[in-house]
Amino acid sequence: MSDWRRYDSHLIPAFHERFEQRWGEGTAPFLDPEAHEEPLPRAQWINPATGAALAVVPVWTAEDEQQRSFGVFYLPPAGDVWVLRPGYTGYLEPADGDAEQLVTLRNDAFRKAVAHAKEFLFGSQ
C-alpha cells in the first residue's frame, strides 16, 4: 500500500521556498502560498512517512499571466525540488466571459499533468 495521500489544504510553503532557493527570489509567483488568489486548478499529494510532497499547479510568468501551463513539482524528503515534465500542457487562462473552449483546454491540460503525477507516484496502473 502506498503512503501517498491527497492533500487538499493550502499550497505547501516548502514548494515556494525550495523553488526560489534553487532559481532565485520572485521566480515562482505560482507557488506563493501567501498569494491572495490560489492558482487553480491544482492537486497535491504528501507522503507522511517520508516527508515528500508533489504538486500540480498552473505556471506563468510575470510578463504574461494568460499564457500558462501546468507544472509538476516533487519535493524529495532530503530537500531540493524536482520539476517533472508531463509533456505539453499549455493553455490560455480564460478571462471572465471567455469561451467555454478555453476552459475545456485548461481542464484537459490539467488532467494530463495529474495523470503524469499519479504515474510518478503510483506507477503505471
Side-chain angles (χ1 to χ4, degrees):
M1 174 170 233
S2 175
D3 287 331
W4 286 98
R5 307 220 183 336
R6 279 292 306 256
Y7 183 78
D8 293 322
S9 193
H10 295 289
L11 195 61
I12 299 170
F15 284 106
H16 188 248
E17 293 166 8
R18 291 188 193 179
F19 195 98
E20 287 196 339
Q21 282 175 351
R22 187 163 183 189
W23 285 289
E25 189 174 332
T27 56
F30 45 86
L31 292 173
D32 187 354
E34 299 297 320
H36 297 291
E37 199 173 299
E38 293 277 347
L40 295 172
R42 63 180 171 80
Q44 297 178 98
W45 293 264
I46 60 169
N47 187 323
T50 65
L54 188 131
V56 175
V57 298
V59 176
W60 65 88
T61 64
E63 294 82 40
D64 188 355
E65 290 193 11
Q66 191 177 23
Q67 294 279 341
R68 295 187 179 191
S69 64
F70 283 99
V72 181
F73 302 99
Y74 171 68
L75 299 179
D80 202 10
V81 59
W82 298 357
V83 179
L84 307 179
R85 305 287 181 210
Y88 183 74
T89 59
Y91 67 97
L92 290 174
E93 178 63 18
D96 289 340
D98 270 350
E100 188 176 315
Q101 179 185 5
L102 290 181
V103 174
T104 300
L105 292 174
R106 178 195 65 198
N107 292 344
D108 288 347
F110 179 67
R111 279 191 286 277
K112 181 179 180 180
V114 167
H116 183 77
K118 286 181 175 180
E119 186 173 342
F120 176 80
L121 295 177
F122 306 113
S124 298
Q125 296 183 17

